[in-house]
Amino acid sequence: MKAVGFLKCHPVDHPEALLDLEIPAPAAPEGHDMLVEVRAVSVNPVDTKRRRSEEPKDGPRVLGFDAAGIVRAVGPACTLFRPGEEVFYAGVVNRAGSNAELQLVDERIVGRKPRSLTFAEAASLPLTTITAWEGLHDRLGVHEGGGAGEALLVIGGAGGVGSMVIQVARQRTALTVVATASRPETAQWCRDLGAHHVVDHKGDIAHQLKALGVKPRYVFSTNTTARNWEQIVACVAPQGAIVLIESQAPIDARQLMPKSVSLHWELMFTRPMFGTPDMIEQHRLLDAVAELVEHGRIRHTMTRNLGPMDAEKLRQAHALVESGAMIGKVVLEGF
């Protein structure tokens, strides 16, 4: 089958950073696995980080996490899906990825594709939506309908995860949502997704929040946490909570002690990577998201569709993500 992968770690502008490959198709699915014909994928920062840092040991490495496609076969333990059904999912880091024509994936982390979306549009959603949902509900502990009278600060509101944090928080909680953005177009994107307020993360965040009369109890930092750490510590309310999704540079968690602020990590791969007893929650939340999409309450975040996948176009997608200037998500559709 066709796939795109790499043999050695290279910068994105290297001609062998990603390669067009012909590799064996996956074996017949076993257990809870399904064989999915991949119709579209999107690219996330995790793709670029692993391409740059994880040297393959046994042959080419195929990355790719977000995907939307059609179930072609199911394992004997499968009960959630049947061949022919349309699905979307985010895969897992310790298995072969979605940058291929066919992929094996555990049905317990797969949701039904929203009927109102194309495969390309649906592929923009899973990883970022799961991250946002788990970060808000499982890590920060804000329950559906909760958060009245409290505020959430979203660092990096126009990125893939930030875009979904804004939407999930607005649609499933009563929180006041404040997003950060530094350009007019990214600020407008955040407002269009439902942010009540937007502040500039290149300025004094704490001062801007004070001017708004907002003291966030919750902070969801999606990027550049170390650069913004002093501001986050200054603005978070006493007995508040912070969730982080990246660890590019060290931070001093001891600074949170005077305020008794709790610190949480969110990695949406944790459940499938460790096979936790509750990993089926990712199936349930993706199905719930599909319903919200179909009712017009959550929208997809695809802003670039580069067309059919090959190594050159996937390198372009990686370069866009690495630029740090992307609004929403970049998608590739078909082979």
Side-chain angles (χ1 to χ4, degrees), residues 150-314:
E150 305 287 357
L152 166 72
L153 174 65
V154 185
I155 305 291
V161 173
S163 297
M164 295 314 302
V165 175
I166 294 170
Q167 294 191 79
V168 173
R170 283 305 312 270
Q171 294 302 321
R172 288 183 53 83
T173 77
L175 290 165
T176 295
V177 179
V178 184
T180 76
S182 61
R183 293 176 283 152
E185 60 269 31
T186 54
Q188 189 58 51
W189 173 265
C190 293
R191 294 188 185 97
D192 291 344
L193 293 177
H196 294 95
H197 308 284
V198 179
V199 299
D200 186 350
H201 49 235
K202 290 186 177 179
D204 188 324
I205 296 173
H207 178 76
Q208 293 172 80
L209 290 171
K210 185 176 181 180
L212 289 171
V214 174
K215 191 72 171 176
R217 180 177 178 184
Y218 304 105
V219 179
F220 200 128
S221 182
T222 72
N223 57 40
T224 60
T225 297
R227 189 178 72 196
N228 293 302
W229 186 244
E230 297 293 335
Q231 293 287 312
I232 291 171
V233 172
C235 74
V236 68
Q239 302 185 95
I242 300 168
V243 63
L244 312 178
I245 66 169
E246 52 88 30
S247 57
Q248 299 304 297
I251 57 171
D252 186 358
R254 295 171 297 181
Q255 293 176 280
L256 301 176
M257 185 177 179
K259 290 185 176 180
S260 297
V261 169
S262 60
L263 181 64
H264 306 263
W265 290 102
E266 162 56 21
L267 181 66
M268 55 76 54
F269 297 121
T270 296
R271 280 169 161 149
M273 189 164 55
F274 291 96
T276 61
D278 66 346
M279 66 184 285
I280 198 170
E281 290 302 319
Q282 291 196 347
H283 159 72
R284 292 172 179 153
L285 78 83
L286 285 174
D287 273 4
V289 168
E291 187 170 343
L292 288 169
V293 170
E294 289 163 356
H295 283 84
R297 295 176 59 191
I298 282 180
R299 74 187 214 191
H300 73 82
T301 55
M302 181 185 75
T303 54
R304 296 285 297 272
N305 185 338
L306 300 184
M309 181 184 294
D310 59 29
E312 181 180 357
K313 288 179 181 174
L314 191 55

Side-chain angles (χ1 to χ4, degrees), residues 40-42 66-68 88-89 118-126 329 331-332:
V41 304
S42 69
D66 275 330
F88 71 146
Y89 57 90
T118 65
F119 286 105
E121 292 166 345
S124 72
L125 287 172
K329 298 290 293 295
V331 172
L332 297 98

Side-chain angles (χ1 to χ4, degrees), residues 59-79:
R61 174 78 188 277
V62 175
L63 293 169
F65 302 101
D66 275 330
I70 300 174
V71 178
R72 291 306 182 202
V74 298
C78 289
T79 60

Side-chain angles (χ1 to χ4, degrees), residues 116-134:
S116 57
L117 299 185
T118 65
F119 286 105
E121 292 166 345
S124 72
L125 287 172
L127 186 148
T128 54
T129 304
I130 296 169
T131 301
W133 189 292
E134 291 184 347

